[in-house]
Amino acid sequence: SRTVASSSSTTRLTRSATRLLAATMLVVLVPLIAVTPELLRLWVGEEFATRSSFATRLLMVALFANVAARPPLAVIQGRAHPLTLAWVYAGELAFHVPLTLLLVTRWGIAGAAAAAVDAIERTGDGELTAVGRALQIADLDPLRCDHDAAARAPPVGAATGAQVMALQVDGDRLPG
């Protein structure tokens, strides 16, 4: 039927756009993450750079997740019920506000950055679920080429937990 073909085309286009955006952002962000402390020292001075390099790196990871979520977001805006995003965002608040308070209290600016990463990734996951429903697809992962390729690529928002902490290089660690 026309709906199935349209959903299939939209799925392919969403996956292709997401892969292209993710690859482009990796090319831009990986070098920036590597030289973040040096760039911050030049821009804002040694003291601020020492305290904010890790938080800046976390925000770059959040930026990657945010950009990779743009194609699924466009699908939601074009195909889903108008209240879909409102429900996704409202559901996130119940978890995000207490987490932010906890992380900021414990780790200051680095905690705020970690909370931002979590919020952006959680939004991306919610948006992917909404896209799957809008396109009537049970398992939508826009970074995969097809449903049988699950092991070949991480989902959007995969840079969590230990992977985020792996960004702590050159002695740039969470305080405490």
Side-chain angles (χ1 to χ4, degrees):
S1 81
R2 181 180 165 99
T3 304
V4 172
S6 176
S7 291
S8 176
S9 298
T10 302
T11 301
R12 279 195 312 276
L13 181 60
T14 301
R15 287 179 175 155
S16 177
T18 302
R19 285 192 309 269
L20 178 62
L21 284 171
T24 302
M25 290 306 295
L26 281 175
V27 168
V28 171
L29 289 176
V30 168
L32 282 175
I33 288 171
V35 298
T36 293
E38 292 79 12
L39 290 175
L40 286 174
R41 275 188 211 97
L42 291 172
W43 183 30
V44 294
E46 180 69 37
E47 183 179 342
F48 188 83
T50 300
R51 291 184 287 148
S52 62
S53 292
F54 181 66
T56 304
R57 286 175 167 157
L58 284 177
L59 291 173
M60 286 185 207
V61 171
L63 177 63
F64 172 80
N66 191 340
V67 169
R70 292 299 169 190
L73 177 61
V75 171
I76 293 170
Q77 291 171 330
R79 307 262 319 247
H81 188 278
L83 290 176
T84 300
L85 287 176
W87 284 110
V88 168
Y89 299 148
E92 292 167 8
L93 282 177
F95 183 80
H96 181 67
V97 170
L99 177 67
T100 301
L101 291 173
L102 174 72
L103 293 176
V104 169
T105 301
R106 177 73 173 110
W107 290 303
I109 190 172
V117 171
D118 177 75
I120 290 169
E121 290 177 357
R122 193 172 304 285
T123 299
D125 292 343
E127 289 170 356
L128 283 178
T129 300
V131 168
R133 288 184 181 166
L135 297 178
Q136 299 174 351
I137 298 170
D139 178 29
L140 175 67
D141 181 345
L143 292 180
R144 287 199 326 248
C145 296
D146 55 50
H147 291 291
D148 297 326
R152 291 196 306 244
V156 171
T160 58
Q163 293 168 330
V164 168
M165 295 309 173
L167 291 174
Q168 299 175 358
V169 294
D170 300 324
D172 187 18
R173 304 266 184 229
L174 278 173

